[in-house]
Amino acid sequence: MQSQVRAMSLRDLRPPLVVLLLVALAVLAYGPTLTLPLVSDDYTQIWLGRRYGPAAAWGELVRDPLYRSRATSIWMTHWTERLFGANASVLNSSSLALHIVNTWLVLALGAWRAVGWRVAAVAAAFFAVHEGHQEAVMWYAALPELLVFTFVLLALLAWIRWVEGGASRPGWYAAALVFFVLALISKESAVVLAPLAALACWTAGWRWKRTAACVWPLAALALVYCALVFVGREQNQHFHDGTFSLAAPVWATLPRSALRLFWIWGLASLAALAIWRSRPSARLIGLAGAWVAITLLPYSFLTYMPRVPSRHLYLASVGLALVVAAGFLAAAERWRRGWAVVALAALIVAHNCGYLWTRKREQYMRRAAPVESLIDFARKASGRIEVRCFVYGENVARHAVEIGAGKPPWLLVWNPGDGPGDEPAFCDETQP
């Protein structure tokens, strides 16, 4: 039965309906984010777009060892603001639009023989509503996570077409290299493409020598890129602010993060597949497990949290979605009553959407409150503003005053903890 499911083509799924359903699911889950105000680092992201986005500033961007690895998000922010302004609903809409595109790319993984269209369609539906990677979609400053996903998936899809086409179409290989370069200037985690490409070769039955001979250009690009990152570490704040360390406890962070990623629906799917002994799914589960391990590894060197933050789970969520899809299809095959399958799908959607609409939306409103308070204070002030306390720090405060209140950042006097000055004093100690 499973082989028959895998053998069914995309035509059997009525592609236009599937594509529209995925849009509806993504909007259903993340549509409420469109009314969220901007949050802390969102203003820094807009400021970066203004500073580095114009073509005249690209040379300065190349010389910045941190933000050259986020060039695509800076360019996108620059042009979004130029065309539509720095409106929160516009910026949030652009994140949601990218999430929809990425959901379609998960569906496109159905062209991978190791996945198949049925699994990819269900996986894409789960990916569209999954709350576990919500920060990547709900927080505009996490735009690099969305873009690195886009280009890594495009590169991998081109690579798969080349591999499964008998390596006879060099155009697909060239496309994979181009998309890989775009991924590398989107986020450092793009280096995962090289092992993912090797994984695609493995699923195609290639021997390791042939795989190594074909993957080495991707690996070489990744190594050169990593070398450039480490060469610029003295000017890269992430090497000095506790964000990143080669001494991080990867051995603990990675499995802890993977367990968090799979809770609840991933673990339930694995349990169901184990109970039902769904052997045809074993290869798919192995692929999904390898995907999760590969894509979580770069983020497991973070040191400011004991687990990978939700925004960094975005790419790894594809592996989770494949597992959930396998479990859902196994249930659909065994349950003779169609209403039970529909009820299960509705439960999964309701759980994820309900969590996003209530708890997560409330959290983001709290995170935005101190910035909104400062902007409102700055708009009403007639002169300089003394900031006595602000949870997000001086840079965010200045960017918020400049972008949100439309006032020169030099009007802000950073004076935390000192005695009162002559200017109107602002203090917000609210912890988001």
Side-chain angles (χ1 to χ4, degrees), residues 42-64:
D42 293 347
Y43 291 97
T44 299
Q45 178 67 26
I46 298 168
W47 179 82
L48 288 169
R50 293 180 178 182
R51 177 180 178 182
Y52 288 138
W58 289 1
E60 185 182 1
L61 175 59
V62 170
R63 291 189 292 273
D64 191 311

Side-chain angles (χ1 to χ4, degrees), residues 156-236:
L156 182 63
L157 288 166
W159 179 269
I160 290 168
R161 287 295 300 270
W162 178 75
V163 168
E164 297 190 347
S168 59
R169 299 178 180 179
W172 287 113
Y173 191 99
L177 290 175
V178 170
F179 286 130
F180 186 33
V181 171
L182 290 172
L184 289 172
I185 60 173
S186 299
K187 191 75 187 287
E188 295 90 342
S189 54
V191 296
V192 300
L193 178 67
L196 289 178
L199 182 63
C201 294
W202 171 75
T203 62
W206 284 22
R207 295 183 179 275
W208 71 268
K209 288 185 178 180
R210 185 185 183 189
T211 298
C214 295
V215 173
W216 78 261
L218 300 178
L221 274 175
L223 288 173
V224 170
Y225 177 82
C226 290
L228 289 174
V229 170
F230 278 93
V231 166
R233 64 185 180 275
E234 292 301 322
Q235 292 78 41
N236 189 329

Side-chain angles (χ1 to χ4, degrees), residues 21-31 96 99-100 103 128-129:
L21 175 62
L22 294 177
V23 173
L25 287 171
V27 172
L28 176 67
Y30 286 100
L96 177 56
H99 177 57
I100 291 171
T103 299
V129 302

Side-chain angles (χ1 to χ4, degrees), residues 54-380:
W58 289 1
E60 185 182 1
L61 175 59
V62 170
R63 291 189 292 273
D64 191 311
L66 173 59
Y67 291 113
R68 67 190 176 202
S69 296
R70 289 153 178 76
T72 58
S73 64
I74 289 172
W75 295 333
M76 181 173 171
T77 299
H78 169 73
W79 282 105
T80 301
E81 185 187 10
R82 285 202 60 180
L83 293 173
F84 305 106
N87 183 277
S89 61
V90 169
L91 298 175
N92 292 334
S93 295
S94 68
S95 291
L96 177 56
L98 266 178
H99 177 57
I100 291 171
V101 170
N102 291 340
T103 299
W104 289 339
L105 291 176
V106 176
L107 173 64
L109 286 174
W112 193 356
R113 293 170 189 165
V115 176
W117 290 110
R118 285 283 178 177
V119 170
V122 178
F126 179 81
F127 184 85
V129 302
H130 180 43
E131 59 81 16
H133 55 222
Q134 40 76 27
E135 210 172 35
V137 186
M138 298 178 73
W139 187 14
Y140 182 72
L143 185 62
E145 300 298 336
L146 298 175
L147 287 167
V148 74
F149 183 102
T150 302
F151 293 120
V152 165
L153 263 289
L154 285 171
L156 182 63
L157 288 166
W159 179 269
I160 290 168
R161 287 295 300 270
W162 178 75
V163 168
E164 297 190 347
S168 59
R169 299 178 180 179
W172 287 113
Y173 191 99
L177 290 175
V178 170
F179 286 130
F180 186 33
V181 171
L182 290 172
L184 289 172
I185 60 173
S186 299
K187 191 75 187 287
E188 295 90 342
S189 54
V191 296
V192 300
L193 178 67
L196 289 178
L199 182 63
C201 294
W202 171 75
T203 62
W206 284 22
R207 295 183 179 275
W208 71 268
K209 288 185 178 180
R210 185 185 183 189
T211 298
C214 295
V215 173
W216 78 261
L218 300 178
L221 274 175
L223 288 173
V224 170
Y225 177 82
C226 290
L228 289 174
V229 170
F230 278 93
V231 166
R233 64 185 180 275
E234 292 301 322
Q235 292 78 41
N236 189 329
Q237 65 189 57
H238 286 177
F239 281 87
H240 311 289
D241 62 3
T243 297
F244 174 89
S245 173
L246 289 176
V250 177
W251 58 270
T253 303
L254 197 154
R256 186 185 296 121
S257 302
L259 182 62
R260 176 174 176 261
L261 172 67
F262 273 77
W263 180 261
I264 300 172
W265 294 108
L267 294 180
S269 298
L270 289 173
L273 291 169
I275 293 171
W276 290 328
R277 298 181 182 179
S278 183
R279 292 184 180 180
S281 299
R283 186 177 179 88
L284 178 65
I285 299 305
L287 185 156
W291 182 291
V292 169
I294 290 169
T295 53
L296 280 183
L297 182 60
Y299 296 114
S300 298
F301 289 93
L302 300 177
T303 55
Y304 59 90
M305 287 181 66
R307 61 181 183 274
V308 173
S310 67
R311 64 187 178 276
H312 297 329
L313 298 175
Y314 195 69
L315 187 53
S317 291
V318 175
L320 166 66
L322 293 175
V323 171
V324 172
F328 183 86
L329 290 173
E333 291 172 12
R334 285 161 176 78
W335 295 349
R336 296 182 179 180
R337 298 178 180 179
W339 65 264
V341 178
V342 173
L344 176 60
L347 177 62
I348 294 173
V349 172
H351 166 256
N352 285 277
C353 290
Y355 192 74
L356 290 169
W357 296 346
T358 56
R359 181 171 180 179
K360 285 302 171 183
R361 178 177 172 76
E362 180 186 353
Q363 285 181 358
Y364 280 89
M365 293 299 292
R366 290 202 307 268
R367 289 170 66 174
V371 183
E372 291 290 294
S373 178
L374 174 61
I375 290 173
D376 184 63
F377 188 92
R379 284 173 178 163
K380 296 175 181 177

